[in-house]
Amino acid sequence: MRKSRFTTEQIIGFIKQAEAGMAVSELGRQHGFSPASFYAWRAKYGGMEAEDAKRLKELEAENSRLKRLLADAHLDIEALKIGFGGKTLAPQRKREAVLRMLDQTVLSERRACRLAGLSRDSFRHPPEPTPATQALSARIIELARVRRRFGYRRLHDLLRPEFPDVNHKKIYRLYSEASLAVRRRKKVKRPPLERQPLAIATAPNQVWSMDFVSDALANARRLKSLTVADDFTHECVDITVDHGMGGAYVIRVLDQAACFRGYPRAVRTDNGPEFTSRAFIAWTQRHGIEHLLIEPGKPMQNGYIESFNGKFRDECLNEHWFTSLAQARQVIADWRRDYNEVRPHSSCGRIPPAQFAANHRAQQANNAVTFNPGLYQ
């Protein structure tokens, strides 16, 4: 808006002269303004004194200043919403917030840093990681590439012997910075059904769960794996790989496993033809083994082996391209050894199943010595 060359006091003086009887046209010729300007002034300042006009001018100036302050405050609020979006206290998050403010608003760097509570020197010079942190981050990335389905907690379990002073929060921070998060699988929603409770084993060799996992070689020839797991120690008793297996083949595999571990009290299987054959049923009766058959179409009644098979597929079968039966047997045997002796298991207290079984045997031996009745006779 164009500023008038007459002050408010002068304009009120012109109005007073016109009210005293002087013609508006004559007044305009003397001072150099048009009648239209005079009538606009009279509509705005008519009936006012010079002091009232001065007070009005001060109020307009104050109103203009308040409008600027309000606009600045709204700009700050908008910048904070863009930069933070919530409570953020870490310096790295504050740097990211300042960058978003500078990119999406007209704020200066100084003002954005003041709003974020961060000094400009800290914004311009982010901290450099120490050599120990760099070595830890490189080790996390290395393990994550080998074990792609491991989250930060299981990686922390693997790194604990190598980095005993590092807690899981630092592992999570470096894990997140490297963008190693495992994509969650979407679960299929099924209508709720009445479930049979899965009995929990209380000792090793109490229940063995077993099932088959199918795969194929590079030439599309069928590959079949028999997986056997101990429900209590969560150890993988055996994984046998071949092109086909019948009931007699399964019995031979279980007899070989029993040479080292002993026969189980019970085995849990589905209703597959290998497990319902005459040879398998005769084998369970011959060794006094209870045969636990799940209901057809309810694999969760054999939940232990189903969980194991999911890990077996994700971490072994889906990660390798088998070209021969010999190669498949070697790779699967290496994975089984790693699963039992290296890979931590959450149900075992985040230690490998073999170590859990060894700890249980040692505890049972100590209890037998401590409470041996013969020592008190």
Side-chain angles (χ1 to χ4, degrees):
M1 182 179 179
R2 183 182 176 188
K3 188 176 180 181
S4 176
R5 58 192 178 93
F6 299 106
T7 64
T8 307
E9 290 80 3
Q10 290 174 332
I11 293 172
I12 293 177
F14 299 154
I15 295 174
K16 295 295 184 184
Q17 292 179 23
E19 290 176 351
M22 189 173 182
V24 175
S25 57
E26 181 64 23
L27 192 61
R29 280 195 300 271
Q30 290 182 4
H31 299 285
F33 59 83
S34 65
S37 297
F38 174 80
Y39 292 123
W41 290 339
R42 191 171 67 179
K44 184 177 181 180
Y45 299 106
M48 296 180 60
E49 299 294 336
E51 293 182 357
D52 297 335
K54 184 178 181 181
R55 193 178 304 109
L56 178 62
K57 186 176 181 180
E58 292 175 354
L59 290 174
E60 289 178 349
E62 180 67 15
N63 187 39
S64 178
R65 186 180 72 85
L66 292 176
K67 284 183 178 180
R68 287 197 301 271
L69 290 177
L70 183 60
D72 292 342
H74 279 292
L75 181 59
D76 291 347
I77 293 172
E78 184 66 22
L80 288 172
K81 287 181 179 179
I82 292 173
F84 289 94
K87 184 177 180 181
T88 305
L89 300 177
Q92 181 60 30
R93 305 287 84 79
K94 290 182 178 180
R95 289 189 197 92
E96 296 173 359
V98 171
L99 289 175
R100 286 194 293 270
M101 291 182 195
L102 297 178
D103 182 56
Q104 302 181 30
T105 66
V106 295
L107 291 181
S108 64
E109 179 185 299
R110 187 187 304 273
R111 187 173 175 183
C113 289
R114 185 176 68 252
L115 288 174
L118 186 71
S119 66
R120 296 176 66 195
D121 183 67
S122 298
F123 171 69
R124 293 184 177 184
H125 304 93
E128 294 292 334
T130 62
T133 302
Q134 292 179 357
L136 176 60
S137 180
R139 184 68 176 138
I140 291 173
I141 295 173
E142 179 184 354
L143 283 176
R145 287 176 178 172
V146 175
R147 304 176 184 274
R148 301 184 183 181
R149 296 300 304 176
F150 273 29
Y152 77 96
R153 288 193 179 275
R154 281 198 285 181
L155 291 179
H156 178 235
D157 295 334
L158 293 176
L159 291 169
R160 190 182 289 115
E162 191 175 349
F163 300 91
D165 298 331
V166 178
N167 61 12
H168 67 281
K169 291 182 284 188
K170 186 171 184 178
I171 298 292
Y172 175 73
R173 178 171 61 82
L174 298 177
Y175 180 85
S176 300
E177 289 176 357
S179 301
L180 299 174
V182 179
R183 181 174 59 87
R184 290 179 178 269
R185 288 188 173 91
K186 293 184 178 180
K187 294 184 178 180
V188 179
K189 292 185 178 180
R190 296 185 175 91
L193 299 174
E194 184 179 355
R195 294 183 177 181
Q196 295 292 333
L198 181 63
I200 300 176
T202 58
N205 278 3
Q206 185 177 6
V207 181
W208 286 2
S209 297
M210 58 188 71
D211 198 4
F212 286 100
V213 179
S214 298
D215 200 12
L217 296 176
N219 59 7
R221 188 173 181 184
R222 184 187 183 190
L223 203 63
K224 198 173 184 180
S225 302
L226 171 65
T227 57
V228 185
D230 190 305
D231 286 6
F232 179 73
T233 63
H234 298 282
E235 291 177 284
C236 177
V237 177
D238 198 1
I239 302 180
T240 303
V241 188
D242 212 324
H243 296 300
M245 299 182 195
Y249 196 123
V250 172
I251 292 170
R252 187 165 62 252
V253 171
L254 296 177
D255 283 334
Q256 292 176 357
C259 292
F260 300 96
R261 302 177 59 93
Y263 287 97
R265 299 179 190 174
V267 291
R268 182 182 289 110
T269 68
D270 58 15
N271 293 270
E274 300 86 359
F275 303 128
T276 55
S277 63
R278 293 181 179 179
F280 188 84
I281 294 175
W283 176 81
T284 58
Q285 293 176 352
R286 184 167 59 252
H287 295 285
I289 299 173
E290 182 183 1
H291 190 190
L292 306 175
L293 278 171
I294 67 172
E295 297 179 40
K298 296 186 177 181
M300 282 313 299
Q301 292 183 7
N302 200 5
Y304 289 115
I305 198 65
E306 290 293 336
S307 176
F308 173 82
N309 288 343
K311 300 181 182 71
F312 177 48
R313 290 190 189 94
D314 291 340
E315 300 173 12
C316 184
L317 298 183
N318 295 344
E319 296 293 330
H320 295 88
W321 185 257
F322 301 126
T323 57
S324 65
L325 179 60
Q327 181 211 2
R329 286 174 171 171
Q330 182 61 45
V331 171
I332 291 174
D334 293 340
W335 181 87
R336 172 178 170 267
R337 188 179 305 108
D338 179 84
Y339 179 88
N340 284 337
E341 301 175 4
V342 180
R343 184 188 185 280
H345 200 293
S346 59
S347 298
C348 298
R350 312 201 74 83
I351 60 176
Q355 183 180 347
F356 175 79
N359 294 345
H360 179 77
R361 288 193 297 269
Q363 183 180 2
Q364 293 297 318
N366 292 337
N367 293 340
V369 172
T370 304
F371 299 101
N372 187 354
L375 297 177
Y376 302 94
Q377 292 179 358

